[in-house]
Amino acid sequence: MHLLMAEIDAAPPIPLAVPFPSHPALARRCHAFLERPNAAATIDEWADAMGINRRSFTRLFRRETTMSFAEWRQQACLSVALPKLAAGEPVTSIAYDLGYDGPGNFSTMFKRVLGVPPSRYRLP
């Protein structure tokens, strides 16, 4: 048990927080995104859907989440991907489910953010 606790203490933190806005319309969009994530979703699509211009959207999004839209989208995709990887789902199907063009794009993002490839998170 002491060894386990020492390893946990020495492990680097994994940045996986997905903050949610309190703004009702934006919160609905964020929750809907987590139900059907799309890594290719754009600021313009979200701004148009909310009926506001791009600049207003980006300011609102950062104020409400403390993250840029791209950072939040990436964190949201990771939060959806990790349980699927742990459940043994193939990286390829997760990548396509998240809206990536292919597993290579997903794996590159995953490794850049978490430091290891997604295959390291899969259970045997």
Side-chain angles (χ1 to χ4, degrees):
M1 185 56 85
H2 292 295
L3 176 59
L4 180 60
M5 294 305 291
E7 289 294 324
I8 290 172
D9 288 339
I14 298 173
L16 291 179
V18 182
F20 274 86
S22 59
H23 185 277
L26 189 54
R28 281 191 299 276
R29 294 277 315 165
C30 290
H31 283 287
F33 183 88
L34 283 178
E35 290 175 18
R36 297 194 68 199
N38 178 6
T42 67
I43 290 172
D44 292 325
E45 291 169 350
W46 281 45
D48 289 346
M50 291 180 62
I52 59 177
N53 68 43
R54 179 187 177 96
R55 187 172 177 171
S56 296
F57 174 82
T58 57
R59 278 185 287 189
L60 173 67
F61 200 91
R62 186 167 293 278
R63 184 177 65 242
E64 291 284 323
T65 66
T66 71
M67 301 176 95
S68 72
F69 176 74
E71 291 168 332
W72 186 91
R73 183 185 60 206
Q74 181 177 279
Q75 291 297 99
C77 285
L78 286 171
S79 75
V80 170
L82 286 171
K84 291 180 177 206
L85 288 166
E89 288 188 38
V91 172
T92 300
S93 57
I94 294 170
Y96 287 123
D97 287 349
L98 294 176
Y100 283 89
D101 290 335
N105 295 348
F106 170 70
S107 295
T108 298
M109 178 278 298
F110 194 99
K111 187 171 183 177
R112 182 176 35 82
V113 174
L114 297 179
V116 295
S119 58
R120 290 276 308 271
Y121 280 82
R122 290 188 69 215
L123 295 178

